[in-house]
Amino acid sequence: MTRVFSKIQPTGHLTLGNYLGAMRRWAEVDQHRADSLFCVVDLHALTVDHDPARVRRLSRQTTTLLLAAGLDPDVCTVFLQSHVDEHTRLSYLLECVATDGEMRRMIQYKEKAAKERDRGGSVRLSLLTYPVLMAADILAYGTDEVPVGEDQAQHVELARDVAVRFNQRYGHTFVVPRTTLPQVAARVMNLQHPTRKMGKSDDSGAGIVYLLDEPDVVRKKVLRAVTDSGREVVYDRAERPGVANLLDILAACTGGNPESLADVYDSYGSLKKDTAEAVVEVLRPVQARHRELCADPVYVEGVLRDGAEKARSLARPTVDTAYRAIGLLPPVAEPSLSAAR
């Protein structure tokens, strides 16, 4: 069975973009068509300045929202990255295969490092090397497919390159994964800055619909969304990014086509109103299930415990093989009592 690995960082409150661009597909498609692992990559949240208590809180909230979105732990594996030591064990081996030049070419490293320097902060070494940890996340499980947005495709390519290089130097060890790109609403844009992705770590809260926003807050944000000059409702991402974003969101929420929906509306106001109501209805069952799960924290803890145990059992054979292949001696087992006698 095809194995799929997907991950999400607990670096902010999850957004409509996370749900429409990834989480809904994970729940409706990926967990049923493949042997799927869904990982909350909390170690990646440590690459920049952070509040430890907030990381813990968001890690739990992210897990709960993944379950609320429809991930079924009886069908798939849901776990925290830091609960499975094989991720960090393999990461160092891959650092011994990847190159400094590959790390410094990573677009996200350039962007995040520039942002840190602009605000007077120091750039952590982990920010430079975290794509190798991401490669370890993927390769530890013999992953066949990694569904990601275009902004993450470069990281999967690195995982492919490192896997091929390791296999060539030390013998076949890793499955070489392939990228799959979501088709609809892969990139939901910020409502106030429609040329920017709706990111959970974005400072512009007015343009971001969070999954736990109250219905009236959702309506207010959508109704205040930035549109474009002119009055005609046209789907044109290049020239009319604001309107195109609303049409993309409405299409994703209703199962429609953004180009066709553009023909239905003769004003921005009616488009915004219908989009707002569509978003409220899409989020309603997710929020209801989230409330139920928050009232049963023991269940969520059990999901994480069982998920980590399963993930560990899947990853350990591959990582142990990589340790032997690269030249490391296996641990010496304690002698048994019978042998000692």
Coordinates of all heavy atoms in Angstrom, one line a residue, residues 48-89:
V48 N 13.1 29.1 15.5 CA 13.1 30.6 15.7 C 12.7 30.9 17.1 O 12.3 29.9 17.9 CB 12.1 31.3 14.7 CG1 12.5 31.1 13.3 CG2 10.7 30.7 14.9
D49 N 12.8 32.1 17.5 CA 12.5 32.5 18.9 C 11.1 32.1 19.2 O 10.2 32.3 18.4 CB 12.7 34.0 19.1 CG 12.6 34.4 20.5 OD1 12.9 33.6 21.4 OD2 12.1 35.5 20.8
H50 N 10.8 31.4 20.4 CA 9.5 30.9 20.7 C 9.3 30.9 22.2 O 10.2 30.9 23.0 CB 9.4 29.5 20.1 CG 10.4 28.5 20.8 ND1 11.7 28.4 20.3 CD2 10.2 27.7 21.8 CE1 12.3 27.5 21.1 NE2 11.5 27.0 22.0
D51 N 8.0 30.8 22.6 CA 7.6 30.6 24.0 C 7.4 29.1 24.2 O 6.5 28.6 23.6 CB 6.4 31.4 24.2 CG 5.8 31.2 25.6 OD1 6.5 30.6 26.4 OD2 4.7 31.7 25.8
P52 N 8.1 28.5 25.1 CA 7.9 27.0 25.3 C 6.5 26.6 25.6 O 6.0 25.6 25.1 CB 8.9 26.7 26.4 CG 10.0 27.7 26.3 CD 9.3 29.0 25.9
A53 N 5.9 27.4 26.5 CA 4.5 27.1 26.9 C 3.6 27.2 25.7 O 2.6 26.4 25.5 CB 4.0 28.0 28.0
R54 N 3.8 28.1 24.8 CA 3.0 28.3 23.6 C 3.1 27.1 22.6 O 2.2 26.7 22.0 CB 3.3 29.6 22.9 CG 2.3 30.0 21.8 CD 2.5 31.4 21.3 NE 1.5 31.8 20.3 CZ 1.7 31.7 19.0 NH1 2.9 31.2 18.5 NH2 0.8 32.1 18.2
V55 N 4.4 26.7 22.5 CA 4.6 25.5 21.6 C 3.9 24.3 22.1 O 3.2 23.6 21.3 CB 6.1 25.2 21.5 CG1 6.4 23.9 20.8 CG2 6.9 26.4 20.8
R56 N 3.9 24.1 23.4 CA 3.2 22.9 24.0 C 1.7 23.1 23.8 O 1.0 22.1 23.4 CB 3.5 22.8 25.5 CG 4.9 22.2 25.8 CD 5.0 21.9 27.3 NE 5.0 23.1 28.1 CZ 6.1 23.7 28.5 NH1 7.3 23.3 28.0 NH2 6.0 24.8 29.2
R57 N 1.2 24.3 24.0 CA -0.3 24.5 23.9 C -0.7 24.4 22.4 O -1.7 23.7 22.1 CB -0.6 26.0 24.4 CG -2.1 26.3 24.4 CD -2.3 27.6 25.1 NE -1.7 28.7 24.4 CZ -0.6 29.4 24.9 NH1 0.0 29.0 26.0 NH2 -0.1 30.4 24.3
L58 N 0.1 24.9 21.5 CA -0.3 24.8 20.1 C -0.1 23.4 19.5 O -0.8 23.0 18.6 CB 0.5 25.8 19.2 CG 0.1 27.3 19.4 CD1 1.1 28.2 18.6 CD2 -1.3 27.5 19.0
S59 N 0.8 22.6 20.1 CA 1.0 21.3 19.7 C -0.3 20.4 20.0 O -0.7 19.7 19.2 CB 2.2 20.6 20.3 OG 3.4 21.3 19.9
R60 N -0.8 20.7 21.2 CA -2.0 20.0 21.6 C -3.2 20.5 20.7 O -4.0 19.7 20.3 CB -2.3 20.2 23.1 CG -3.6 19.5 23.5 CD -3.8 19.7 25.0 NE -2.9 18.9 25.8 CZ -3.1 17.7 26.1 NH1 -4.2 17.1 25.7 NH2 -2.3 17.0 26.8
Q61 N -3.3 21.8 20.6 CA -4.4 22.3 19.8 C -4.4 21.8 18.3 O -5.4 21.5 17.7 CB -4.4 23.9 19.8 CG -5.6 24.5 19.1 CD -5.4 26.0 19.1 OE1 -4.9 26.6 18.1 NE2 -5.9 26.7 20.1
T62 N -3.2 21.8 17.8 CA -3.0 21.3 16.4 C -3.5 19.9 16.3 O -4.2 19.5 15.3 CB -1.6 21.5 15.9 OG1 -1.2 22.9 16.0 CG2 -1.4 21.0 14.5
T63 N -3.1 19.1 17.2 CA -3.5 17.7 17.2 C -5.0 17.5 17.3 O -5.6 16.8 16.5 CB -2.8 16.9 18.3 OG1 -1.4 17.0 18.3 CG2 -3.2 15.4 18.3
T64 N -5.6 18.3 18.2 CA -7.0 18.2 18.4 C -7.8 18.7 17.1 O -8.8 18.1 16.7 CB -7.4 19.1 19.6 OG1 -6.6 18.7 20.7 CG2 -8.9 19.0 19.9
L65 N -7.3 19.7 16.5 CA -7.9 20.2 15.2 C -7.8 19.2 14.1 O -8.7 19.1 13.2 CB -7.4 21.6 14.9 CG -8.0 22.7 15.7 CD1 -7.2 24.0 15.4 CD2 -9.5 22.9 15.3
L66 N -6.6 18.5 14.0 CA -6.5 17.5 13.0 C -7.6 16.4 13.2 O -8.2 15.9 12.2 CB -5.1 16.9 13.1 CG -3.9 17.7 12.6 CD1 -2.6 17.0 12.8 CD2 -4.1 18.1 11.1
L67 N -7.8 16.0 14.4 CA -8.8 15.0 14.7 C -10.2 15.6 14.4 O -11.1 14.9 13.9 CB -8.7 14.5 16.2 CG -7.4 13.9 16.5 CD1 -7.3 13.6 18.0 CD2 -7.2 12.6 15.7
A68 N -10.4 16.8 14.8 CA -11.7 17.5 14.6 C -12.0 17.6 13.1 O -13.2 17.6 12.6 CB -11.7 18.9 15.2
A69 N -10.9 17.7 12.3 CA -11.1 17.9 10.8 C -11.5 16.5 10.2 O -11.8 16.5 9.0 CB -9.8 18.4 10.2
G70 N -11.3 15.4 10.9 CA -11.8 14.2 10.4 C -10.7 13.1 10.3 O -11.0 12.0 9.9
L71 N -9.5 13.3 10.8 CA -8.5 12.3 10.8 C -8.9 11.2 11.8 O -9.3 11.5 13.0 CB -7.1 12.8 11.2 CG -6.5 13.7 10.1 CD1 -5.0 14.0 10.5 CD2 -6.5 13.1 8.7
D72 N -8.9 10.0 11.4 CA -9.4 8.9 12.3 C -8.2 8.0 12.7 O -7.6 7.3 11.8 CB -10.4 8.0 11.5 CG -11.0 6.9 12.3 OD1 -10.5 6.6 13.4 OD2 -11.9 6.2 11.8
P73 N -7.8 8.0 14.0 CA -6.6 7.2 14.4 C -6.8 5.7 14.2 O -5.8 5.0 14.3 CB -6.5 7.6 15.9 CG -7.8 8.1 16.3 CD -8.4 8.8 15.1
D74 N -8.0 5.2 13.9 CA -8.1 3.8 13.6 C -7.8 3.5 12.1 O -7.7 2.4 11.7 CB -9.6 3.4 13.9 CG -9.9 3.4 15.4 OD1 -9.0 3.1 16.2 OD2 -11.1 3.6 15.7
V75 N -7.7 4.6 11.4 CA -7.4 4.5 9.9 C -6.0 5.0 9.6 O -5.3 4.4 8.7 CB -8.4 5.3 9.1 CG1 -8.1 5.3 7.6 CG2 -9.9 4.7 9.3
C76 N -5.5 6.0 10.3 CA -4.2 6.6 10.0 C -3.4 6.7 11.3 O -3.9 6.4 12.3 CB -4.4 8.0 9.3 SG -5.2 9.2 10.4
T77 N -2.2 7.3 11.2 CA -1.3 7.5 12.3 C -1.2 9.0 12.6 O -0.7 9.7 11.7 CB 0.0 6.8 12.1 OG1 -0.2 5.5 11.7 CG2 0.9 6.9 13.3
V78 N -1.5 9.4 13.8 CA -1.4 10.8 14.1 C -0.4 10.9 15.3 O -0.6 10.2 16.3 CB -2.7 11.4 14.5 CG1 -2.6 12.9 14.9 CG2 -3.8 11.3 13.4
F79 N 0.6 11.7 15.2 CA 1.6 11.7 16.3 C 2.4 13.0 16.3 O 2.4 13.8 15.4 CB 2.6 10.5 16.2 CG 3.4 10.5 14.9 CD1 4.8 10.9 15.0 CD2 2.9 10.2 13.7 CE1 5.6 10.9 13.9 CE2 3.7 10.3 12.5 CZ 5.0 10.6 12.6
L80 N 3.2 13.2 17.4 CA 4.1 14.3 17.6 C 5.5 13.9 17.2 O 6.0 12.8 17.6 CB 4.1 14.8 19.0 CG 2.9 15.7 19.5 CD1 3.1 16.1 20.9 CD2 2.8 17.0 18.6
Q81 N 6.1 14.7 16.4 CA 7.5 14.5 16.0 C 8.5 14.2 17.1 O 9.3 13.2 17.1 CB 8.0 15.7 15.2 CG 9.4 15.6 14.6 CD 9.8 17.0 14.0 OE1 9.4 18.0 14.5 NE2 10.6 16.9 13.0
S82 N 8.4 15.0 18.2 CA 9.3 14.8 19.3 C 9.1 13.6 20.1 O 10.0 13.2 20.9 CB 9.2 16.1 20.2 OG 7.9 16.1 20.8
H83 N 8.0 12.9 19.9 CA 7.7 11.6 20.6 C 8.4 10.4 19.9 O 8.3 9.3 20.5 CB 6.2 11.4 20.7 CG 5.5 12.4 21.6 ND1 4.2 12.3 21.9 CD2 6.0 13.4 22.3 CE1 3.8 13.3 22.7 NE2 4.9 13.9 23.0
V84 N 9.0 10.6 18.8 CA 9.6 9.5 18.0 C 11.1 9.9 17.8 O 11.4 10.7 16.9 CB 8.9 9.3 16.7 CG1 9.5 8.1 15.9 CG2 7.4 9.0 16.9
D85 N 12.0 9.3 18.5 CA 13.4 9.7 18.5 C 14.1 9.4 17.2 O 15.1 10.0 16.8 CB 14.2 8.9 19.6 CG 13.8 9.3 21.0 OD1 13.2 10.3 21.2 OD2 14.1 8.5 21.9
E86 N 13.5 8.6 16.3 CA 14.1 8.2 15.1 C 14.2 9.4 14.1 O 15.1 9.5 13.3 CB 13.3 7.1 14.4 CG 13.6 5.7 14.8 CD 13.3 5.5 16.3 OE1 12.3 6.1 16.8 OE2 14.0 4.7 16.9
H87 N 13.4 10.5 14.3 CA 13.5 11.7 13.5 C 14.9 12.3 13.7 O 15.6 12.7 12.8 CB 12.4 12.7 13.8 CG 11.1 12.2 13.4 ND1 10.4 12.7 12.3 CD2 10.2 11.2 13.9 CE1 9.2 12.1 12.2 NE2 9.1 11.2 13.1
T88 N 15.3 12.5 15.0 CA 16.5 13.2 15.3 C 17.7 12.3 15.1 O 18.8 12.7 14.7 CB 16.6 13.8 16.7 OG1 16.1 12.8 17.6 CG2 15.6 15.0 16.8
R89 N 17.5 11.0 15.3 CA 18.6 10.0 15.0 C 19.0 10.0 13.5 O 20.2 10.1 13.2 CB 18.1 8.6 15.4 CG 18.1 8.3 16.9 CD 17.7 6.8 17.0 NE 18.7 5.9 16.5 CZ 18.4 4.7 16.0 NH1 17.2 4.2 16.0 NH2 19.4 4.0 15.5

